[in-house]
Amino acid sequence: MTTKLLRGEGLGHHFPGAPFLFRGLDVTLEPGEITGLCGPSGSGKSTLLSLLAGWVTPVEGRIERIGVHRTGWVFQNPYGVPARTALDHVCLPLLAAGRTRAQARERAREVLATFQLDRSERQPFRELSGGEAQRLMLARAVCAAPDLLLVDEPTAQLDITTAATVNRTLGAVAQEGTIVVIATHDPHTRAACTRVVDLAVGVS
Ligand SMILES: Nc1ncnc2c1ncn2[C@@H]1O[C@H](COP(=O)(O)OP(=O)(O)OP(=O)(O)O)[C@@H](O)[C@H]1O
């Protein structure tokens, strides 16, 4: 397996005019692990995801990336094209990566099945339930084989059984060589993480 590593040292961040959300945070993220970013609402979980993605530069500290080129982000709220099917959504990154239409469909169907969406493949996005749409976003991100997968509240809209399946699937994705980071409130998802970064509100 190619070496992949994301290391944050002494990370601190705040928005202009606001107090620090966190300071002096050290994190080391590796494939095979699911790292949970846990903490109450407003503690800075999504902000830390943005730092790890490289979208936001930390006010303090530095982030080192080794072998991390492709980043996938699954947002808290699923966004899709209302009239396009679930299968279309997952095929898109595969077609963009140069797969033929037949190859893209075959791979997309495999990944849809791992997220229990095989029966929804022909449904347009607008007809999917909130939980199905959320799992579709995960399937689309996983299909693109990212080095780093950042997921914001993946199980917020799911029942406990479906959430457990999603957590297991993310564990398998991590085992296949992706660095997986999840921001979550859900104690079951927290328990499925192999390491946890706890954020508190009101760090000064
Ligand atoms: N672009 C921004 N500009 C100013 N303040 C921001 C910005 N983004 C987030 N914040 C503030 O930073 C704090 C942390 O937000 P963040 O979304 O990281 O928290 P969170 O832990 O992910 O919350 P939740 O669990 O509710 O999603 C909040 O008080 C939020 O209002």
Side-chain angles (χ1 to χ4, degrees):
M1 192 187 291
T2 324
T3 305
K4 283 179 207 168
L5 185 75
L6 190 68
R7 187 183 291 128
E9 283 177 358
L11 297 179
H13 198 74
H14 69 81
F15 291 100
F20 272 93
L21 290 165
F22 45 82
R23 282 189 106 164
L25 191 65
D26 297 322
V27 286
T28 301
L29 310 175
E30 293 167 289
E33 303 262 15
I34 302 188
T35 302
L37 309 183
C38 300
S41 181
S43 58
K45 301 182 295 297
S46 303
T47 302
L48 183 52
L49 287 179
S50 304
L51 262 55
L52 297 173
W55 288 5
V56 174
T57 305
V59 171
E60 292 179 351
R62 58 189 287 275
I63 294 180
E64 179 187 16
R65 284 182 183 74
I66 299 169
V68 175
H69 307 291
R70 284 190 306 272
T71 297
W73 185 308
V74 180
F75 297 101
Q76 200 164 348
N77 297 315
Y79 295 102
V81 182
R84 301 308 293 254
T85 65
L87 188 64
D88 287 341
H89 280 77
V90 184
C91 281
L92 189 62
L94 295 163
L95 293 170
R99 303 257 189 132
T100 65
R101 193 160 287 277
Q103 288 168 339
R105 286 197 170 161
E106 188 183 346
R107 175 69 184 137
R109 287 192 168 115
E110 278 170 19
V111 179
L112 283 168
T114 66
F115 285 99
Q116 297 182 317
L117 286 169
D118 26 343
R119 284 187 301 155
S120 306
E121 69 169 57
R122 298 200 175 279
Q123 265 183 292
F125 184 81
R126 65 168 171 265
E127 289 180 9
L128 299 177
S129 72
E132 287 166 347
Q134 180 70 3
R135 281 180 283 140
L136 179 61
M137 299 297 100
L138 284 165
R140 184 172 64 177
V142 166
C143 246
D147 301 307
L148 172 65
L149 179 62
L150 304 167
V151 191
D152 209 346
E153 299 287 358
T155 52
Q157 303 191 55
L158 305 181
D159 62 83
I160 203 162
T161 310
T162 313
T165 306
V166 164
N167 289 333
R168 269 199 307 280
T169 305
L170 289 174
V173 168
Q175 288 301 322
E176 283 166 17
T178 297
I179 298 172
V180 179
V181 185
I182 301 177
T184 186
H185 291 109
D186 175 1
H188 297 288
T189 300
R190 179 192 171 104
C193 293
T194 52
R195 55 173 90 174
V196 168
V197 175
D198 272 309
L199 298 175
V201 170
V203 179
S204 58

